[in-house]
Amino acid sequence: MYLLDESFDITRIKNVMKEGYSGGIDYEIFGVPNDVKIMEDISYLMQVYKHRNLSVYVVDEQNNEIVGLCIAGISEKMPLGFAEIGELCVVPQYRHKGIAEYMLNYIKQSASAYTEVIKLCVTVGNNAELLYKKTGFQAGPRFARMTKRN
């Protein structure tokens, strides 16, 4: 596992995010964003978490391909200084190998030096909900009437 910071060429993780989320509940409802939108989202999150970046990525050492990533950190503007996980994805063929659980536990451990609270926003129906419960995340309020911005 490696730290993901602003010096990293984020074009390398664009396809990981696209592949990692395809077939999931968000893309089922909202569709697959184009490459430009994915890059904008990655750049935005990296900027938000620049104050206290906790982001990481995982590489398959045999083929040197990125297989998972977790973009997380603490924003200067985050109420009460809570940490937040903005993106977590693992490429489909690498799922069920403990990669996401390892990244979540790493982020929780890293964030514990700064805060006791880590927020994880998840769409209801996400296949990883059981993983989140297993790693200690608790369900919060459910939001309704979410719509796609045009």
Side-chain angles (χ1 to χ4, degrees), residues 120-137:
L120 171 64
C121 298
V122 179
T123 303
V124 174
N126 185 307
N127 291 333
E129 282 182 295
L130 290 176
L131 168 66
Y132 302 144
K133 288 178 186 174
K134 179 181 176 183
T135 54
F137 287 92

mmCIF file of all heavy atoms in Angstrom, residues 120-137:
data_model
loop_
_atom_site.group_PDB
_atom_site.id
_atom_site.type_symbol
_atom_site.label_atom_id
_atom_site.label_comp_id
_atom_site.label_asym_id
_atom_site.label_seq_id
_atom_site.Cartn_x
_atom_site.Cartn_y
_atom_site.Cartn_z
ATOM 1 N N LEU A 120 -18.186 8.107 6.513
ATOM 2 C CA LEU A 120 -18.155 7.351 5.264
ATOM 3 C C LEU A 120 -19.544 7.465 4.653
ATOM 4 O O LEU A 120 -20.515 6.961 5.211
ATOM 5 C CB LEU A 120 -17.797 5.888 5.530
ATOM 6 C CG LEU A 120 -17.922 4.900 4.378
ATOM 7 C CD1 LEU A 120 -16.951 5.247 3.266
ATOM 8 C CD2 LEU A 120 -17.679 3.486 4.871
ATOM 9 N N CYS A 121 -19.651 8.156 3.539
ATOM 10 C CA CYS A 121 -20.939 8.312 2.877
ATOM 11 C C CYS A 121 -21.130 7.171 1.890
ATOM 12 O O CYS A 121 -20.268 6.933 1.045
ATOM 13 C CB CYS A 121 -21.013 9.653 2.154
ATOM 14 S SG CYS A 121 -20.861 11.051 3.273
ATOM 15 N N VAL A 122 -22.243 6.480 2.031
ATOM 16 C CA VAL A 122 -22.502 5.291 1.221
ATOM 17 C C VAL A 122 -23.934 5.342 0.701
ATOM 18 O O VAL A 122 -24.848 5.701 1.437
ATOM 19 C CB VAL A 122 -22.327 4.005 2.070
ATOM 20 C CG1 VAL A 122 -22.602 2.771 1.255
ATOM 21 C CG2 VAL A 122 -20.953 3.949 2.671
ATOM 22 N N THR A 123 -24.119 4.965 -0.533
ATOM 23 C CA THR A 123 -25.456 4.859 -1.094
ATOM 24 C C THR A 123 -26.109 3.591 -0.569
ATOM 25 O O THR A 123 -25.495 2.515 -0.591
ATOM 26 C CB THR A 123 -25.395 4.816 -2.629
ATOM 27 O OG1 THR A 123 -24.709 5.983 -3.094
ATOM 28 C CG2 THR A 123 -26.785 4.765 -3.241
ATOM 29 N N VAL A 124 -27.349 3.711 -0.075
ATOM 30 C CA VAL A 124 -28.089 2.545 0.406
ATOM 31 C C VAL A 124 -28.180 1.537 -0.733
ATOM 32 O O VAL A 124 -28.474 1.893 -1.868
ATOM 33 C CB VAL A 124 -29.495 2.958 0.890
ATOM 34 C CG1 VAL A 124 -30.321 1.731 1.243
ATOM 35 C CG2 VAL A 124 -29.393 3.896 2.071
ATOM 36 N N GLY A 125 -27.866 0.305 -0.430
ATOM 37 C CA GLY A 125 -27.867 -0.738 -1.443
ATOM 38 C C GLY A 125 -26.479 -1.061 -1.973
ATOM 39 O O GLY A 125 -26.310 -1.984 -2.763
ATOM 40 N N ASN A 126 -25.472 -0.329 -1.509
ATOM 41 C CA ASN A 126 -24.093 -0.597 -1.920
ATOM 42 C C ASN A 126 -23.703 -2.003 -1.471
ATOM 43 O O ASN A 126 -23.955 -2.397 -0.330
ATOM 44 C CB ASN A 126 -23.165 0.449 -1.291
ATOM 45 C CG ASN A 126 -21.738 0.338 -1.754
ATOM 46 O OD1 ASN A 126 -21.135 -0.725 -1.685
ATOM 47 N ND2 ASN A 126 -21.189 1.440 -2.205
ATOM 48 N N ASN A 127 -23.101 -2.761 -2.365
ATOM 49 C CA ASN A 127 -22.710 -4.143 -2.059
ATOM 50 C C ASN A 127 -21.722 -4.239 -0.902
ATOM 51 O O ASN A 127 -21.578 -5.288 -0.293
ATOM 52 C CB ASN A 127 -22.102 -4.811 -3.294
ATOM 53 C CG ASN A 127 -23.137 -5.055 -4.375
ATOM 54 O OD1 ASN A 127 -24.319 -5.211 -4.097
ATOM 55 N ND2 ASN A 127 -22.696 -5.076 -5.614
ATOM 56 N N ALA A 128 -21.037 -3.152 -0.592
ATOM 57 C CA ALA A 128 -20.022 -3.178 0.456
ATOM 58 C C ALA A 128 -20.557 -2.795 1.837
ATOM 59 O O ALA A 128 -19.792 -2.689 2.791
ATOM 60 C CB ALA A 128 -18.860 -2.257 0.072
ATOM 61 N N GLU A 129 -21.869 -2.632 1.982
ATOM 62 C CA GLU A 129 -22.430 -2.243 3.280
ATOM 63 C C GLU A 129 -22.018 -3.212 4.392
ATOM 64 O O GLU A 129 -21.701 -2.781 5.502
ATOM 65 C CB GLU A 129 -23.954 -2.141 3.216
ATOM 66 C CG GLU A 129 -24.441 -0.866 2.575
ATOM 67 C CD GLU A 129 -25.948 -0.752 2.569
ATOM 68 O OE1 GLU A 129 -26.606 -1.586 1.897
ATOM 69 O OE2 GLU A 129 -26.463 0.155 3.230
ATOM 70 N N LEU A 130 -21.996 -4.488 4.117
ATOM 71 C CA LEU A 130 -21.589 -5.464 5.143
ATOM 72 C C LEU A 130 -20.132 -5.278 5.544
ATOM 73 O O LEU A 130 -19.777 -5.414 6.718
ATOM 74 C CB LEU A 130 -21.816 -6.896 4.656
ATOM 75 C CG LEU A 130 -23.279 -7.326 4.530
ATOM 76 C CD1 LEU A 130 -23.371 -8.730 3.944
ATOM 77 C CD2 LEU A 130 -23.986 -7.246 5.868
ATOM 78 N N LEU A 131 -19.276 -4.957 4.587
ATOM 79 C CA LEU A 131 -17.874 -4.687 4.881
ATOM 80 C C LEU A 131 -17.754 -3.485 5.810
ATOM 81 O O LEU A 131 -16.978 -3.505 6.765
ATOM 82 C CB LEU A 131 -17.083 -4.432 3.597
ATOM 83 C CG LEU A 131 -15.672 -3.862 3.789
ATOM 84 C CD1 LEU A 131 -14.778 -4.879 4.492
ATOM 85 C CD2 LEU A 131 -15.087 -3.435 2.464
ATOM 86 N N TYR A 132 -18.517 -2.448 5.537
ATOM 87 C CA TYR A 132 -18.445 -1.245 6.363
ATOM 88 C C TYR A 132 -18.855 -1.552 7.800
ATOM 89 O O TYR A 132 -18.218 -1.089 8.742
ATOM 90 C CB TYR A 132 -19.299 -0.128 5.764
ATOM 91 C CG TYR A 132 -18.903 0.229 4.349
ATOM 92 C CD1 TYR A 132 -19.841 0.592 3.407
ATOM 93 C CD2 TYR A 132 -17.569 0.186 3.946
ATOM 94 C CE1 TYR A 132 -19.480 0.910 2.105
ATOM 95 C CE2 TYR A 132 -17.196 0.505 2.649
ATOM 96 C CZ TYR A 132 -18.156 0.865 1.738
ATOM 97 O OH TYR A 132 -17.783 1.175 0.455
ATOM 98 N N LYS A 133 -19.899 -2.350 7.968
ATOM 99 C CA LYS A 133 -20.317 -2.753 9.318
ATOM 100 C C LYS A 133 -19.232 -3.596 9.982
ATOM 101 O O LYS A 133 -18.917 -3.417 11.153
ATOM 102 C CB LYS A 133 -21.633 -3.523 9.258
ATOM 103 C CG LYS A 133 -22.815 -2.646 8.949
ATOM 104 C CD LYS A 133 -24.089 -3.451 8.849
ATOM 105 C CE LYS A 133 -25.223 -2.554 8.390
ATOM 106 N NZ LYS A 133 -26.439 -3.295 8.151
ATOM 107 N N LYS A 134 -18.647 -4.502 9.221
ATOM 108 C CA LYS A 134 -17.593 -5.379 9.746
ATOM 109 C C LYS A 134 -16.390 -4.581 10.251
ATOM 110 O O LYS A 134 -15.745 -4.965 11.225
ATOM 111 C CB LYS A 134 -17.145 -6.358 8.647
ATOM 112 C CG LYS A 134 -16.038 -7.293 9.050
ATOM 113 C CD LYS A 134 -15.644 -8.200 7.892
ATOM 114 C CE LYS A 134 -14.473 -9.081 8.268
ATOM 115 N NZ LYS A 134 -14.035 -9.902 7.138
ATOM 116 N N THR A 135 -16.090 -3.477 9.599
ATOM 117 C CA THR A 135 -14.928 -2.672 9.983
ATOM 118 C C THR A 135 -15.285 -1.579 10.995
ATOM 119 O O THR A 135 -14.471 -0.707 11.266
ATOM 120 C CB THR A 135 -14.235 -2.056 8.747
ATOM 121 O OG1 THR A 135 -15.190 -1.328 7.986
ATOM 122 C CG2 THR A 135 -13.584 -3.136 7.893
ATOM 123 N N GLY A 136 -16.500 -1.636 11.537
ATOM 124 C CA GLY A 136 -16.857 -0.759 12.645
ATOM 125 C C GLY A 136 -17.642 0.485 12.305
ATOM 126 O O GLY A 136 -17.937 1.288 13.192
ATOM 127 N N PHE A 137 -18.008 0.666 11.045
ATOM 128 C CA PHE A 137 -18.809 1.834 10.697
ATOM 129 C C PHE A 137 -20.266 1.564 11.065
ATOM 130 O O PHE A 137 -20.751 0.446 10.922
ATOM 131 C CB PHE A 137 -18.683 2.167 9.207
ATOM 132 C CG PHE A 137 -17.355 2.770 8.857
ATOM 133 C CD1 PHE A 137 -16.302 1.963 8.445
ATOM 134 C CD2 PHE A 137 -17.144 4.129 8.962
ATOM 135 C CE1 PHE A 137 -15.063 2.507 8.145
ATOM 136 C CE2 PHE A 137 -15.914 4.687 8.663
ATOM 137 C CZ PHE A 137 -14.875 3.872 8.261
#
